[in-house]
Amino acid sequence: MNHVVDLTKGNFDRIDFTEAKIIDFYCQHDLPSSLEFKVWGATLLLEPRWKHSEKFDSSLPETEDMYVSGLGIVKIDKLIGGNIEVYAYDNVKESNLTKVAKNCDGSDLVFRRDWQCIRTDNVDEYLWECVISWPYGFCNLHLFSDGGKVSFEFESDNMVSARDYVMNTELYRFNADRASRKS
C-alpha cells in the first residue's frame, strides 16, 4: 500500500533521515520552486515516548518506530533558497571506516552549492543530514520553504520495525541490487 505522510512544519521532526541515503538528487544551478528526490530508508518516529500531540497517520503502527527499508520520494514546494554540502568519501576504507576524501593540502574535499535566500524570517527550514549516492559522501541538504508542503511517499510493504533494522542493518540498508528489485 502506498503511504504519503505530511512532513510540513513540525511534522518534519516526526521522521529521522539520519540513516537514509539520498539516491537521486539533481543539483540544479537555479533552485526550482518545487523539488522531489528519492531516498532509501527513513525512520518514522511513532512510539508514544515521542509525545506527539496528534497521530501521524492512523494507518501506521502506534507502538513502535518503523524503518522504511526501500525507496521513498520526498517532495517539497514553495522553495525560496537553501544549500547543499557534500563531504566526498574516499574509496579507501581503513579499519572498516569510510573516510572523507582529502584535497592535496589535507583539507576535506567538499562540494557546495548555495541557492541564495532573500529572507529567512517566517520561513520553514528543512535539513537532511545523511549519505548521498552521487557524489558519494555525507550530505547536508538545507532547504527553505515559504509555507510550502513537504511530503514523504513510500510503500508500507517496505516498513520494518526500527529494532529489526538496528539488529540487521546489512539486511535492510541500501543496496543497489535490492533497490532495483523494489522500484
Side-chain angles (χ1 to χ4, degrees), residues 33-149:
S33 63
S34 63
L35 185 65
E36 72 177 55
F37 55 95
K38 289 183 184 173
V39 173
W40 179 284
T43 303
L44 303 171
L45 305 174
L46 303 170
E47 291 182 3
R49 68 186 168 111
W50 299 112
K51 297 180 177 155
H52 300 301
S53 58
E54 57 188 64
K55 289 183 179 182
F56 196 32
D57 181 324
S58 60
S59 63
L60 296 172
E62 296 177 30
T63 56
E64 64 181 328
D65 295 342
M66 300 298 286
Y67 178 77
V68 179
S69 177
L71 290 174
I73 298 173
V74 173
K75 296 179 182 178
I76 182 170
D77 62 10
K78 297 188 179 177
L79 291 169
I80 60 169
N83 60 65
I84 185 171
E85 292 181 326
V86 177
Y87 292 79
Y89 285 151
D90 202 332
N91 272 340
V92 178
K93 283 189 177 185
E94 293 178 14
S95 305
N96 251 356
L97 296 175
T98 304
K99 295 194 171 203
V100 173
K102 301 288 183 188
N103 290 308
C104 294
D105 65 1
S107 62
D108 291 345
L109 178 60
V110 182
F111 301 104
R112 288 185 177 90
R113 162 107 350 120
D114 288 312
W115 298 287
Q116 194 67 26
C117 189
I118 296 170
R119 64 182 180 78
T120 56
D121 34 318
N122 296 325
V123 300
D124 303 312
E125 293 183 57
Y126 299 98
L127 175 65
W128 287 265
E129 296 177 302
C130 56
V131 172
I132 190 167
S133 62
W134 193 89
Y136 181 52
F138 182 77
C139 171
N140 289 310
L141 174 60
H142 198 185
L143 297 173
F144 294 97
S145 173
D146 188 9
K149 183 176 168 114

Side-chain angles (χ1 to χ4, degrees), residues 47 63-67 160-168 172:
E47 291 182 3
T63 56
E64 64 181 328
D65 295 342
M66 300 298 286
Y67 178 77
V160 298
S161 77
R163 182 176 299 115
D164 286 347
Y165 167 70
V166 169
M167 300 301 287
N168 300 294
Y172 298 115

